[in-house]
Amino acid sequence: MKNEFHPQLLEDAAAWLFWTLVSRDGFELTLKNVLQTRGQSLLNHPEREIIFRRYPLGEMPASTFSAFCSAVAEHAHARAVREENLTGIIYSEDRFSGRTSSAAGISGAHLDFPVTVEGDSFPRYGSLCLRAPLPAVVFADSPPPEGVLRIADTRALGFSMPLWLSPQTVSQVESRLWLLTGIFFIPVHPELTDRHWKKVIPNGVCARERIIMEKDGEALSLAFHWQSRAH
C-alpha cells in the first residue's frame, strides 16, 4: 500500500531542507543539485535530523520514514522542474510582527543605506514578512494590481527600503487578507555583497546601479542613486 503524506508536510520539510542549503551553498548550486539528483541531494543535508524534528515523525516505522524521505525528495524535484519556489507553510499571524520566529533575531541595520530611485512608477502595495531562512512573502488587505509591485511597508526590516516583488502566487487566505509569494528585487549598496541581503530575503535578485523590469508590456529601467549614510 502506498504511503500518503500531507502535502503541507512535504512542502514544509522540503522548503526547510532546500533553503537552509541555499544559505550555505547558494541558490544556483542547490537548485542544480536538486534537479540532477531528483531531490535526493536534500536528504544528504547535514542538518536533516534537526529539521525533521520539527515534525511528529518519531513514531514512524522505518519503512514509512524511508517512504517519507523519498516523497520529500520527489516533491522538491517536481517544484524545481516547474520552476516554482518552495515556500513552506506560511502562517497568517506572522503578518502582525512582519517576521516568523525563525527570522526574529535578524538585524537589518547593516543594510540600511539611503537610496533614491529614478524611474519607479510601480504601484505600492502590501507589507513585507521576513521568514529567513525561508522565502519572504507579502501580506495585504486588498487584491493586488497586475504585475510587479513596490512593497509599501518594509518595517519588518527595521527601516524603509525600496523593494519590488514579481508575484508568482496570489491567494486570498481570509476575507480581507491576501498573500503573495514570488521574487523580490533589491537595491544593494556597493559596500555590501548580495549574500548580506540574501540572508534576510533569500528569494531576491540584487542590483547595485539599476534594475530593468517589465511594466505594461514594456521594459522599465530603475536607476539607483546612493546617498551618504546617516550616522
Side-chain angles (χ1 to χ4, degrees), residues 124-191:
R124 301 195 180 207
Y125 174 88
S127 299
L128 176 68
C129 181
L130 302 179
R131 305 170 63 242
L134 300 183
V137 298
V138 169
F139 287 106
D141 59 6
S142 61
E146 293 289 332
V148 173
L149 309 160
R150 176 162 168 173
I151 310 307
D153 182 353
T154 65
R155 284 177 293 179
L157 293 170
F159 56 92
S160 179
M161 183 72 187
L163 300 174
W164 298 267
L165 177 74
S166 177
Q168 289 185 338
T169 67
V170 177
S171 53
Q172 186 175 1
V173 293
E174 295 178 12
S175 61
R176 287 184 56 81
L177 182 64
W178 277 258
L179 167 67
L180 283 70
T181 70
I183 304 299
F184 288 85
F185 293 87
I186 307 169
V188 177
H189 191 274
E191 291 183 13

Side-chain angles (χ1 to χ4, degrees), residues 56-85:
L57 307 178
E59 302 302 317
M60 276 187 179
S63 59
T64 306
F65 180 72
S66 177
F68 169 73
C69 290
S70 295
V72 169
E74 290 170 7
H75 179 81
H77 179 253
R79 294 291 295 271
V81 168
R82 295 195 300 266
E83 298 183 349
E84 297 172 350
N85 266 343

